[in-house]
């Protein structure tokens, strides 16, 4: 009875487990060689730990039952023994072997995926810069800077060089690769690949401020041909906008251009908006539709607290024009 009364205490623990497992679900469903190798390590360590757990608990319960005090038993101090060579060898050698089984593939794969492929001819290099709270992707060979959507070809090594412009963030694509920190003033390198075309979710996995949980990105994996077309469209010359332009372009030039470039070859303070109309999201985590674009432009702090975009003060007419202009950024 007493035991049941306290069973409710298990609920938070169960809830936590559900959350942890939900978070891992991407890692448990890998697409690509990197993700598969990392899942192999997860499984290997899980089954070894589980095996040890089963053996230890089986022995524990055996001892508890076999050597429990019997009714009418008077002499409860067992025969005293000291040292047992056979047993000592067994419980030293077995863990040692298990440790070797665990360590050899772990160390090998850790070094393998930490290899620098950024200069390699068979890899696509992307310089990733984390910002509070968005991701910047630069393709140095293609001369493209973009944000929020990491566009990659399938079946190719994607070599990333990771850094941060402010605090420590962590780059994580559960279906494709484990986490790696982005540190200001440092460049951390790793590589991964995607086998199947599709859109994969990316996350910031290091508490970095009030909008940490909203610091998402998307990985868009496509065939090499589609990727080449994307590169061509991003590098095609863009219309230049000035305050003397017509309609939304002039609003953009007056209110947005000081922080946002619309030509993918240019560096800008905020996310580069070239190709914005084709992106999956507004602000990196909301669906790219007119409703969210309007909310974002009117009150960016409400949508993503603590980000660096100010409320630029748009009239209704300016907002309408700006939204129409944003839809032309392809
Ligand atoms: Cu960036 Cu959490």
């Amino acid at each position: 009875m007493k035991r049941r009364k306290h069973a409710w205490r298990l609920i938070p623990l169960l809830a936590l487990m559900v959350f942890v497992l939900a978070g891992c679900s991407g890692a448990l469903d890998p697409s690509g060689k990197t993700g598969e190798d990392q899942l192999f390590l997860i499984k290997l360590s899980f089954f070894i730990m589980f095996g040890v757990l089963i053996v230890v608990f089986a022995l524990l319960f055996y001892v508890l039952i076999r050597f429990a005090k019997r009714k009418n038993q008077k002499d409860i101090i067992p025969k005293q023994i000291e040292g047992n060579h056979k047993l000592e060898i067994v419980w030293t050698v077995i863990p040692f072997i298990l440790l070797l089984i665990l360590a050899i593939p772990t160390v090998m794969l850790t070094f393998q995926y930490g290899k620098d492929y950024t200069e390699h001819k068979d890899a696509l290099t992307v310089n990733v810069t984390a910002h509070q709270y968005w991701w910047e992707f630069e393709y140095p060979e293609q001369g493209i800077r973009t944000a929020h959507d990491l566009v990659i070809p399938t079946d190719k090594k994607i070599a990333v060089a990771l850094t941060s412009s402010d605090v420590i963030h962590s780059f994580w694509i559960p279906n494709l690769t484990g986490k790696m920190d982005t540190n200001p003033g440092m460049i951390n390198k790793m590589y991964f690949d995607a086998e199947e075309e599709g859109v994969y979710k990316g996350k910031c996995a290091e508490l970095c401020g009030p909008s940490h949980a909203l610091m998402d990105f998307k990985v868009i994996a496509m065939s090499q041909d589609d990727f080449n077309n994307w590169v061509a469209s991003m590098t095609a010359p863009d219309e230049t906008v000035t305050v003397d332009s017509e309609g939304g372009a002039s609003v953009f030039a007056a209110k947005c251009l000081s922080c946002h470039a619309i030509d993918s070859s240019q560096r800008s303070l905020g996310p580069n908006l070239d190709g914005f109309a084709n992106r999956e999201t507004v602000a990196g985590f909301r669906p790219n539709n007119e409703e969210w674009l309007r909310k974002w432009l009117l009150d960016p702090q409400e949508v993503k607290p603590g980000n660096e975009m100010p409320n630029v003060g748009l009239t209704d007419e300016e907002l309408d024009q700006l939204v129409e202009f944003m839809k032309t950024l392809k």
Side-chain angles (χ1 to χ4, degrees):
M1 192 59 208
K2 210 172 182 189
R3 216 178 276 168
R4 256 200 218 145
K5 216 168 97 187
H6 295 294
W8 60 270
R9 287 190 182 166
L10 286 175
I11 291 171
L13 186 70
L14 287 173
L16 185 74
M17 275 174 65
V18 169
F19 269 111
V20 170
L21 290 175
C24 293
S25 61
L28 299 180
D29 179 24
S31 168
K33 187 86 180 66
T34 313
E36 277 161 20
D37 282 347
Q38 292 174 352
L39 179 60
F40 162 73
L41 289 182
I42 293 175
K43 282 182 178 165
L44 182 72
S45 48
F46 177 82
F47 286 116
I48 289 181
M49 283 189 294
F50 198 68
V52 169
L53 195 83
I54 295 283
V55 171
V56 168
F57 272 81
L59 286 172
L60 175 71
F61 283 113
Y62 171 76
V63 170
L64 281 178
I65 294 161
R66 172 71 183 73
F67 299 104
K69 191 186 168 198
R70 308 267 174 247
K71 254 186 200 167
N72 307 326
Q73 185 181 351
K74 288 201 183 84
D75 171 23
I76 54 167
I77 300 207
K79 198 180 109 195
Q80 299 297 293
I81 48 168
E82 205 173 301
N84 183 320
H85 268 298
K86 249 190 223 158
L87 280 177
E88 281 159 12
I89 288 170
V90 167
W91 69 53
T92 306
V93 169
I94 292 178
F96 184 73
I97 293 172
L98 290 180
L99 217 58
L100 278 184
I101 296 174
L102 200 57
I104 291 170
T106 304
V107 171
M108 272 170 56
L109 287 172
T110 304
F111 278 91
Q112 184 188 321
Y113 284 105
K115 259 191 208 155
D116 181 2
Y117 274 93
T118 53
E119 304 287 325
H120 203 276
K121 62 178 179 18
D122 294 332
L124 171 73
T125 300
V126 185
N127 296 330
V128 178
T129 307
H131 303 261
Q132 280 171 320
Y133 302 92
W134 60 282
W135 297 89
E136 179 179 4
F137 304 113
E138 182 201 2
Y139 300 70
E141 282 157 63
Q142 290 76 11
I144 295 173
R145 283 172 187 278
T146 185
H148 303 334
D149 283 3
L150 172 58
V151 179
I152 58 167
T154 50
D155 299 318
K156 189 160 192 169
K157 278 196 178 76
I158 312 300
V160 286
L162 305 157
T163 191
S164 165
S165 71
D166 35 53
V167 300
I168 301 174
H169 304 266
S170 180
F171 178 84
W172 186 27
I173 314 163
N175 293 93
L176 303 182
T177 181
K179 304 159 191 175
M180 187 174 267
D181 275 7
T182 68
N183 303 73
M186 261 174 81
I187 293 173
N188 298 332
K189 290 174 179 174
M190 66 172 179
Y191 71 89
F192 61 91
D193 64 308
E195 223 157 57
E196 282 160 46
E197 293 178 27
V199 179
Y200 301 96
K201 195 174 179 183
K203 296 281 312 165
C204 175
E206 178 74 55
L207 184 61
C208 55
S211 283
H212 153 69
L214 312 177
M215 193 172 158
D216 292 359
F217 61 101
K218 292 281 190 287
V219 180
I220 312 199
M222 50 181 71
S223 66
Q224 184 67 48
D225 284 347
D226 288 346
F227 179 77
N228 295 344
N229 290 337
W230 176 78
V231 170
S233 82
M234 289 296 279
T235 48
D238 294 287
E239 215 186 313
T240 42
V241 299
T242 66
V243 276
D244 296 328
S245 305
E246 297 275 287
S250 74
V251 178
F252 189 92
K255 307 257 179 174
C256 319
L257 200 58
S258 55
C259 294
H260 295 279
I262 52 166
D263 178 334
S264 68
S265 67
Q266 290 170 2
R267 183 191 285 269
S268 63
L269 207 60
N272 189 309
L273 295 172
D274 196 351
F276 168 80
N278 299 325
R279 279 188 197 156
E280 292 282 318
T281 60
V282 169
F285 74 108
R286 291 297 187 193
N288 190 357
N289 58 33
E290 206 178 304
E291 185 197 341
W292 278 108
L293 182 56
R294 282 174 180 275
K295 278 188 190 167
W296 173 249
L297 292 172
L298 276 179
D299 196 350
Q301 293 304 319
E302 171 70 26
V303 177
K304 206 184 213 183
N307 87 85
E308 297 204 343
M309 175 148 151
N311 184 340
V312 291
L314 296 165
T315 65
D316 286 351
E317 196 198 346
E318 283 173 335
L319 179 65
D320 289 343
Q321 289 178 327
L322 191 53
V323 167
E324 286 313 308
F325 175 73
M326 299 285 292
K327 287 183 193 166
T328 69
L329 296 175
K330 296 200 170 159

